[in-house]
Amino acid sequence: MSLISIGTTRHIDFIRNKLDDELKLLQAEGVEYNLQEKASGDYTFLGYNIVPKTKTDKGGLQFKHFLAQVISEVVVSKWEENLIKGIIKSSYSYFTEEEKQNIFDKTLQFLADEDNLLRKNRILLKIAEYLETHDDLIIDGFIKFRLKEYVSELEEAVDSAVDSFLMEKEYNEFIRLLRHFVEMQDTKVQEVHVLLKPSGYFQLYDAKQNVITNEYLEDFVVDLYDTDINYEDLLISALITTAPQQIVLHLPDMEEVKNTIKIIDNVFGERVVICPGCSKCREE
């Protein structure tokens, strides 16, 4: 007979139900068990007596294998979110509750982009290794003291989410200032057509399809070789300088310039129109 004990402060119903499902498979092979459940403070302990058919049966080892699978699943699918919230609360307490929620959502997104199965398998191996020489396991302590690499991985995901959040916040503030500047500008031309190529190169035309020359752009002259400014920055600057009432975008390859389109749309809003298709849109 093997006595195997699991202690936990949370998700006890999930763990018990999962283990019961797995133990039905052992029962079908003749292995019997009984469960003793006890509460102590914040902890609930599940004690399983595994009784094999014969002395040579390995019902206890099979159960430990099931146990490692269940605990690794509960850590990744249930516990992980609480760990992330704890990391955010501890390391980034100065953010508002709304900002913390934003960071939490971004962290989950970062982790979802990775392979959850890989994280689960790494945890499973750690638990299986521990259970080879132990018959009791307290999940809270195991995570804290034996899954430090996993917790560090979550901390890195939170840090990446914070970086992304701050960059997004800075970007939104920058767009807000540009939009305010555009709204304060007097319109200099009624209509500007923008031919935007996949390389980022652009050309501006007026309503009569004439190339817009420096008479509209005399307020800014940029030497691309001497600065870090790119075509996207240059285009936004040109459009702000010309201050058109309407911007018509001609896009030979919309997918390749979707980020630029998004910025133009965010800054100029309803002034932006995408050409449904013309000779310029078909230029290569």
Side-chain angles (χ1 to χ4, degrees):
M1 180 174 67
S2 299
L3 175 61
I4 301 170
S5 174
I6 307 105
T8 179
T9 59
R10 60 187 69 182
H11 308 304
I12 189 65
D13 292 335
F14 179 89
I15 296 169
R16 186 196 311 108
N17 293 338
K18 281 285 186 179
L19 288 174
D20 284 347
D21 290 342
E22 300 291 357
L23 282 164
K24 289 175 184 176
L25 299 175
L26 287 181
Q27 281 186 313
E29 298 177 8
V31 176
E32 296 297 328
Y33 78 96
N34 60 71
L35 168 64
Q36 295 179 343
E37 184 170 333
K38 182 176 70 173
S40 178
D42 295 332
Y43 286 86
T44 300
F45 292 89
L46 301 177
Y48 288 89
N49 287 300
I50 310 299
V51 185
K53 288 184 299 183
T54 68
K55 293 181 179 180
T56 57
D57 283 343
K58 298 181 179 179
L61 292 178
Q62 288 176 282
F63 178 72
K64 285 185 176 183
H65 175 71
F66 291 146
L67 179 59
Q69 290 181 318
V70 170
I71 295 178
S72 62
E73 181 179 347
V74 77
V75 170
V76 173
S77 66
K78 299 289 185 181
W79 220 290
E80 192 164 271
E81 292 191 3
N82 297 99
L83 291 171
I84 292 168
K85 288 178 181 178
I87 293 167
I88 294 172
K89 182 178 179 181
S90 173
S91 301
Y92 298 102
S93 59
Y94 47 84
F95 285 115
T96 67
E97 292 305 313
E98 183 179 354
E99 290 171 334
K100 289 176 185 175
Q101 183 62 45
N102 189 310
I103 293 167
F104 173 76
D105 293 338
K106 285 183 181 296
T107 303
L108 293 185
Q109 185 177 346
F110 276 119
L111 292 171
D113 290 340
E114 299 175 0
D115 192 341
N116 286 354
L117 185 59
L118 287 177
R119 288 204 307 284
K120 180 182 173 183
N121 285 340
R122 288 197 295 267
I123 294 170
L124 189 152
L125 290 174
K126 288 279 189 181
I127 296 170
E129 180 183 9
Y130 175 84
L131 290 175
E132 286 180 0
T133 55
H134 297 80
D135 291 328
D136 61 299
L137 187 151
I138 298 177
I139 300 176
D140 306 65
F142 190 85
I143 293 173
K144 183 176 181 180
F145 297 109
R146 303 248 179 181
L147 294 182
K148 291 182 179 180
E149 289 183 6
Y150 165 67
V151 174
S152 294
E153 185 179 350
L154 297 185
E155 290 172 342
E156 289 175 7
V158 170
D159 291 342
S160 296
V162 170
D163 291 341
S164 175
F165 168 75
L166 292 175
M167 288 177 63
E168 186 177 282
K169 186 176 181 180
E170 183 179 343
Y171 169 83
N172 289 335
E173 179 62 18
F174 177 66
I175 293 295
R176 189 190 68 79
L177 291 173
L178 288 181
R179 184 180 295 171
H180 177 71
F181 185 69
V182 167
E183 291 171 353
M184 297 297 293
Q185 285 250 86
D186 293 329
T187 299
K188 296 180 182 177
V189 294
Q190 286 300 310
E191 187 175 283
V192 166
H193 291 252
V194 181
L195 172 59
L196 184 56
K197 295 192 174 184
S199 64
Y201 171 80
F202 67 90
Q203 182 64 65
L204 305 184
Y205 301 86
D206 61 20
K208 296 181 179 180
Q209 301 303 308
N210 298 313
V211 175
I212 295 180
T213 59
N214 282 347
E215 64 179 288
Y216 298 110
L217 306 176
E218 59 186 7
D219 290 335
F220 85 71
V221 177
V222 179
D223 185 346
L224 289 176
Y225 296 102
D226 293 336
T227 69
D228 292 331
I229 198 167
N230 55 34
Y231 278 124
E232 188 176 275
D233 299 328
L234 188 61
L235 173 56
I236 300 299
S237 298
L239 291 174
I240 290 176
T241 301
T242 55
Q245 184 62 38
Q246 185 176 67
I247 300 169
V248 181
L249 299 179
H250 299 271
L251 309 166
D253 190 336
M254 184 181 297
E255 185 64 24
E256 288 294 323
V257 293
K258 61 183 180 181
N259 186 61
T260 304
I261 297 170
K262 179 182 177 182
I263 294 175
I264 293 172
D265 188 58
N266 285 340
V267 174
F268 296 94
E270 295 180 355
R271 301 189 191 197
V272 180
V273 175
I274 296 178
C275 177
C278 67
S279 59
K280 280 187 172 53
C281 296
R282 293 189 291 273
E283 287 188 21
E284 298 191 4

